[in-house]
Amino acid sequence: MATSRRVLLWFRNDLRVRDHAALARAAERVKKGEADEVVACYCLDPRHFAKTPFGSLKTHFHRSRFLLESVRDLKTQLRAIGSDLLVRVGRPEEVLPSLEGQWVVAHAEATWEETQVEKKVEKAMKRLGGGLELVWGYSLYHLDDLPYPKGNLQMLPDVFTPFRNQVESKCKPRQPLPPPSTSLIPPPNTYPEGMDFWPDLDSLPLTEEVRGEMKQLQEQEEALRKDQTMPRWVGGETAAAQRLHHYLWETDAVAHYFETRNGMLGGDYSTKFSPWLAHGCITPRQIWSELQRYEKQRVKNKSTYWVVFELTWRDYFRFLCMKYGSQIFFEGGAKDMDVPWRRDRNLIQLWKDGMTGMPLVDANMRELKATGFMSNRGRQNVASYFCLDMGMDWRYGADHFESLLLDHDVTANYGNWNSAAGLTGGRINKFNIVKQSNDYDPEGKYIRCWVPELREVPVKYLFEPWKMPLELQERCGCVVGRDYPSPIPTKTLGRPDLPSKPSRGKPPVAGGRKPPRVQNTLERVWRNAGPGGRPHP
């Protein structure tokens, strides 16, 4: 049984104290006399550091480092307002009931894996006479403010533009919440054991092999970062506020965002807010609110609007994932398309390693592997190439991104991969990688940065080095097939159900929905969701 009127504040992907609806709700319980004390807790869940069914480490080094920095900063922020953070290694449904609280308060998540943990926590707390209260706090537009009767997300359009038009005309973001006063988050008279625990890499629930690999990456991190103009991201609410101030007030870079957003080298071609958004160190509403102030004091233009436009995209994918539930993770995607994907693990590994022989793809994949980051332009290209040129099962790509991306957000990642694979029912954007190279890296600076084998290759051949005469290859020290891979023969691959040449003026449209069928045993296992990972093959 719960032994005190204690509220347990369960931190998840919301590592901040400002604009924190769950923290505000815990304070409200105290103010109303429903609770006497608040204990904040974060769980390093072993499931987040295990291997996925696709063979990836679910949370690899770069995001692990950023997460630990964010958790440590949160502990500092909570201490500054008279509280503290208890960090435990373990599953939330086992850790939280052991802390003798009456209620757990937390932000509600959107996707299957996370909501299953919520159900387990609720069940465990109820056995002790307590409960779980979930509040909404992740989006720019609040879930309750969407223009759909009774919050019916089945009315959410399957295309972004109608959604954007609806929310821009009928909704307005709520103002960010301030942190509560110290009197409203009273600490317990006696804290649980372990309050002096500051987690580091050695704290993570890893196998010794993986721990050794991570420590090696930690030692090599600076040497692997070939683009020295790109900042090293530091996790936490403090660093998030600094980045927001830098991008708006110190540099005015936001005023040129629309023109620069497709860059791939440097620190300020885009906002770079995404790592902090993904970990909840800052909220879309905080960014929106600061942009409102910037527009009043400096400038209001297409660039400042476009930052909000991108935040609205994040909202859209979150709500789309809620609409389609676990279907978003399955082979056929949101629309349950019947696509005969390939699963050649050797080719998939070439893509992961940046050894496809397609320079723009390889440069982006090597940057991801070395830093945990990739530009938005790069993500669109490598995903299109993987799904539509190579014809590979998109889930292997999404899983790889989940493992490595510093800014991995479940709904943004899997929503974008559904879109790239052509599984949302709309048009399919198959990227011409050579044209994209010419458009967005015309001098080849990005490719030469991340693919040193090609540094001496003339720009005329840089995007298609296999067309370079053999004599020139020798002079450049880059013989294709020896010093740099021959391109994967994508003409014999590709997404099998797409026409080789779309009709003029009409982009290809995703194939039909699968006909009704009886699910076999394995499919039932997927849908009933096995332990430890997104629904999987």
Side-chain angles (χ1 to χ4, degrees):
M1 297 289 292
T3 58
S4 71
R5 298 202 310 160
R6 172 184 291 177
V7 172
L8 302 175
L9 179 58
W10 176 23
F11 281 91
R12 308 173 77 187
N13 296 310
D14 51 358
L15 305 178
R16 62 183 184 277
V17 297
R18 294 163 184 80
D19 195 26
H20 199 290
L23 179 57
R25 178 59 183 137
E28 184 181 10
R29 280 186 170 272
V30 173
K31 187 175 182 179
K32 289 182 176 180
E34 299 171 356
D36 299 324
E37 58 189 44
V38 177
V39 173
C41 181
Y42 181 83
C43 299
L44 290 167
D45 191 333
R47 290 169 294 204
H48 295 169
F49 302 93
K51 286 288 183 75
T52 74
F54 293 92
S56 303
L57 185 66
K58 193 172 184 65
T59 307
H60 218 296
F61 166 69
H62 296 289
R63 192 161 79 259
S64 293
R65 172 187 62 75
F66 193 95
L67 170 65
L68 291 168
E69 291 168 348
S70 299
V71 170
R72 292 195 294 266
D73 185 72
L74 175 62
K75 189 172 177 69
T76 300
Q77 296 292 324
L78 284 167
R79 285 185 169 186
I81 57 173
S83 185
D84 206 338
L85 181 69
L86 175 67
V87 182
R88 288 277 175 90
V89 177
R91 299 185 174 198
E93 64 267 31
E94 297 169 357
V95 171
L96 294 168
S98 72
L99 299 180
E100 301 180 342
Q102 186 174 20
W103 284 94
V104 175
V105 178
H107 280 126
E109 285 281 3
T111 44
W112 178 87
E113 190 175 302
E114 291 73 21
T115 56
Q116 289 300 301
V117 176
E118 292 170 1
K119 291 176 182 178
K120 291 175 182 178
V121 168
E122 182 176 34
K123 184 177 180 180
M125 292 301 296
K126 281 185 175 179
R127 283 200 299 264
L128 300 175
L132 169 66
E133 181 180 8
L134 296 172
V135 297
W136 189 257
Y138 283 114
S139 55
L140 176 63
Y141 295 98
H142 196 284
L143 179 64
D144 294 343
D145 298 340
L146 296 181
Y148 310 123
K150 299 181 180 179
N152 181 10
L153 286 178
Q154 293 307 308
M155 298 182 67
L156 181 83
D158 287 336
V159 180
F160 170 70
T161 299
F163 168 77
R164 175 175 64 87
N165 292 337
Q166 289 171 353
V167 295
E168 287 183 348
S169 62
K170 299 178 181 179
C171 308
K172 184 178 181 180
R174 300 181 183 185
Q175 288 295 327
L177 299 168
S181 64
T182 56
S183 62
L184 293 180
I185 45 170
N189 292 326
T190 303
Y191 268 117
E193 290 184 13
M195 294 305 299
D196 57 348
F197 174 49
W198 293 77
D200 56 21
L201 207 58
D202 288 326
S203 313
L204 299 181
L206 304 168
T207 65
E208 287 308 309
E209 179 183 358
V210 171
R211 194 183 313 281
E213 181 182 345
M214 281 201 179
K215 287 191 172 182
Q216 186 177 15
L217 287 169
Q218 187 177 35
E219 294 170 359
Q220 297 173 345
E221 185 177 14
E222 190 60 28
L224 291 172
R225 195 163 62 89
K226 296 182 183 298
D227 179 8
Q228 292 297 316
T229 62
M230 181 74 78
R232 179 189 180 276
W233 285 274
V234 176
E237 185 174 17
T238 301
Q242 291 170 348
R243 176 62 189 177
L244 181 61
H245 182 76
H246 168 85
Y247 196 75
L248 273 63
W249 302 103
E250 290 181 358
T251 65
D252 285 310
V254 69
H256 312 287
Y257 170 73
F258 185 80
E259 293 77 24
T260 64
R261 72 192 193 285
N262 284 311
M264 288 183 281
L265 280 175
D268 290 341
Y269 64 79
S270 66
T271 67
K272 306 295 190 302
F273 297 152
S274 58
W276 294 285
L277 282 167
H279 291 79
C281 303
I282 196 169
T283 69
R285 295 194 307 195
Q286 287 176 288
I287 295 170
W288 167 81
S289 178
E290 195 67 2
L291 275 168
Q292 296 278 299
R293 190 165 74 91
Y294 180 88
E295 289 178 335
K296 289 178 181 178
Q297 297 184 22
R298 296 273 176 95
V299 64
K300 180 179 181 180
N301 60 16
K302 188 172 184 177
S303 289
T304 56
Y305 163 75
W306 215 258
V307 175
V308 181
F309 174 91
E310 300 290 3
L311 293 173
T312 306
W313 259 114
R314 294 180 72 92
D315 273 16
Y316 177 68
F317 280 132
R318 184 168 292 272
F319 297 134
L320 188 73
C321 286
M322 293 173 71
K323 174 180 179 178
Y324 284 104
S326 59
Q327 182 60 47
I328 207 86
F329 301 111
F330 298 143
E331 180 181 359
K335 291 292 187 177
D336 198 18
M337 297 292 180
D338 190 8
V339 181
W341 299 110
R342 294 181 172 87
R343 299 176 186 87
D344 186 316
R345 290 184 180 268
N346 291 328
L347 291 179
I348 290 172
Q349 193 62 47
L350 289 176
W351 176 81
K352 289 181 178 182
D353 292 338
M355 297 294 284
T356 67
M358 187 61 69
L360 185 65
V361 172
D362 291 346
N364 276 283
M365 296 306 295
R366 294 183 192 190
E367 181 184 20
L368 173 63
K369 189 174 184 179
T371 68
F373 185 79
M374 187 190 297
S375 69
N376 180 58
R377 179 58 49 181
R379 297 180 202 204
Q380 293 179 69
N381 274 277
V382 302
S384 173
Y385 181 80
F386 186 79
C387 300
L388 307 182
D389 286 303
M390 295 176 67
M392 296 298 156
D393 186 339
W394 67 274
R395 295 171 299 171
Y396 286 86
D399 176 77
H400 185 62
F401 270 32
E402 178 167 7
S403 175
L404 293 189
L405 277 176
L406 194 69
D407 60 0
H408 178 259
D409 173 280
V410 178
T411 58
N413 183 42
Y414 284 86
N416 270 300
W417 273 93
N418 266 250
S419 179
L423 301 176
T424 58
R427 62 176 287 168
I428 299 175
N429 291 316
K430 184 176 181 180
F431 283 64
N432 181 323
I433 305 300
V434 174
K435 182 179 185 302
Q436 291 279 308
S437 305
N438 276 292
D439 289 348
Y440 298 105
D441 190 25
E443 298 177 20
K445 292 180 180 179
Y446 177 74
I447 288 173
R448 288 192 172 99
C449 175
W450 286 104
V451 188
E453 307 97 298
L454 300 174
R455 279 182 184 159
E456 302 303 320
V457 173
V459 72
K460 177 181 177 180
Y461 297 107
L462 185 60
F463 311 135
E464 299 174 283
W466 57 90
K467 292 185 175 181
M468 188 168 40
L470 182 58
E471 181 184 352
L472 183 56
Q473 292 183 34
E474 292 281 7
R475 289 208 310 267
C476 294
C478 183
V479 175
V480 174
R482 185 191 71 189
D483 305 302
Y484 181 68
S486 299
I488 290 173
T490 54
K491 287 185 178 180
T492 65
L493 300 171
R495 179 172 153 170
D497 63 325
L498 290 183
S500 58
K501 290 185 179 181
S503 58
R504 186 179 299 274
K506 288 187 177 181
V509 176
R513 186 178 175 87
K514 291 182 180 180
R517 67 191 186 285
V518 177
Q519 294 178 10
N520 62 32
T521 303
L522 182 57
E523 286 174 317
R524 285 195 293 272
V525 170
W526 293 350
R527 292 178 187 275
N528 292 332
R534 314 275 167 217
H536 55 78

